[in-house]
Amino acid sequence: MTMPRTTTGQRLSFLLFLLPASSSFAFLSPTAYYLASATKHEPIDPTRPYTHDDTTFCSTRDTEISMAPPMPRWYQHEISITAPSRGCHLITSQVNNAIRNDMSTIKIGMANLFIQHTSASLTINENADPDVRRDMEVALNKIVPAQWTKDGTFRHTMEGEDDMPGHVKSSLMGPSLNIPIKNGRLALGTWQGIYLNEHRDQGGWGGGHTRNIVITLQGQS
């Protein structure tokens, strides 16, 4: 007598049926459950445990197998920018030049900029009228006047009268920025630009105003 042929799904279902309820296989691995479901055209629910009286294998609906999401991309750059003087300086173009190639591979993501100093800061503000940058510096000097170094308000004065005010301004403005990446570009508004705010006349020990900025990109293509 000729034995009837069985399908892979029938053989697998039979083996699963033989597993005792107390078996450690009561919860199938996602791979095994995908296999069993796919051979019987059952929509997949990896969170549902398999049971002996499971009758869903009789369904003839189409199988839906979810794919793993794409892996995120990570890039990191470091740039050094020398501010020409104390004040607020527009550096959007320098940032874009440093990250353009890697950023072009990211469709949606985030860029983090971090300045590695305690008397300089980063912020975002108007990129058109230079008077805005001049007025920002004037306002910061009125908020934290250098006179506080001379009148006894500050004790940390050994590095100059602009040092402690620079520390306060750095904390007020902040050392980092998060900017969304959209379709390979920084999602800045039309009138928004990235500012490097130099809060010292001498730029710290050694003079000069060279500031290091770490730029980290993360996202998906």
Side-chain angles (χ1 to χ4, degrees):
M1 181 177 67
T2 303
M3 295 296 291
R5 298 183 64 182
T6 59
T7 65
T8 301
Q10 289 171 328
R11 292 194 294 270
L12 181 57
S13 298
F14 178 73
L15 290 175
L16 293 175
F17 181 81
L18 293 179
L19 292 174
S22 61
S23 169
S24 59
F25 296 95
F27 285 84
L28 298 178
S29 70
T31 302
Y33 191 77
Y34 273 35
L35 223 62
S37 299
T39 53
K40 285 296 181 177
H41 308 289
E42 174 63 14
I44 295 167
D45 180 6
T47 63
R48 181 174 60 81
Y50 175 82
T51 58
H52 289 290
D53 57 351
D54 197 330
T55 59
T56 60
F57 288 162
C58 297
S59 172
T60 59
R61 290 174 292 176
D62 291 338
T63 302
E64 297 180 4
I65 301 178
S66 60
M67 302 299 292
M71 293 296 292
R73 298 173 180 266
W74 287 89
Y75 304 100
Q76 193 166 78
H77 300 265
E78 184 173 337
I79 60 175
S80 295
I81 298 178
T82 301
S85 63
R86 175 170 154 177
C88 302
H89 306 277
L90 195 61
I91 62 167
T92 311
S93 60
Q94 291 96 318
V95 171
N96 276 323
N97 289 339
I99 63 177
R100 180 176 287 111
N101 290 339
D102 290 335
M103 188 168 56
S104 66
T105 68
I106 298 176
K107 184 175 182 181
I108 180 172
M110 190 70 68
N112 174 268
L113 283 68
F114 180 80
I115 192 166
Q116 297 178 304
H117 303 276
T118 60
S119 56
S121 63
L122 299 172
T123 193
I124 293 176
N125 218 298
E126 182 173 324
N127 61 8
D129 187 353
D131 283 345
V132 173
R133 300 191 289 279
R134 178 264 178 197
D135 292 347
M136 287 281 287
E137 173 65 10
V138 171
L140 287 171
N141 291 335
K142 289 183 177 294
I143 293 170
V144 191
Q147 182 63 29
W148 287 357
T149 302
K150 299 177 181 179
D151 65 12
T153 301
F154 292 146
R155 295 182 179 180
H156 180 76
T157 60
M158 62 180 296
E159 296 179 49
E161 67 177 41
D162 64 343
D163 182 52
M164 190 59 216
H167 292 321
V168 177
K169 294 172 186 177
S170 175
S171 289
L172 288 176
M173 302 297 280
S176 66
L177 299 172
N178 286 322
I179 305 174
I181 299 173
K182 181 179 180 181
N183 295 326
R185 302 182 64 178
L186 294 176
L188 292 167
T190 302
W191 306 111
Q192 286 184 320
I194 302 170
Y195 284 16
L196 165 62
N197 309 305
E198 176 54 66
H199 302 307
R200 297 212 59 190
D201 293 317
Q202 301 302 320
W205 291 111
H209 296 278
T210 300
R211 302 302 194 178
N212 298 323
I213 301 172
V214 177
I215 309 171
T216 305
L217 309 177
Q218 183 270 329
Q220 295 180 350
S221 57

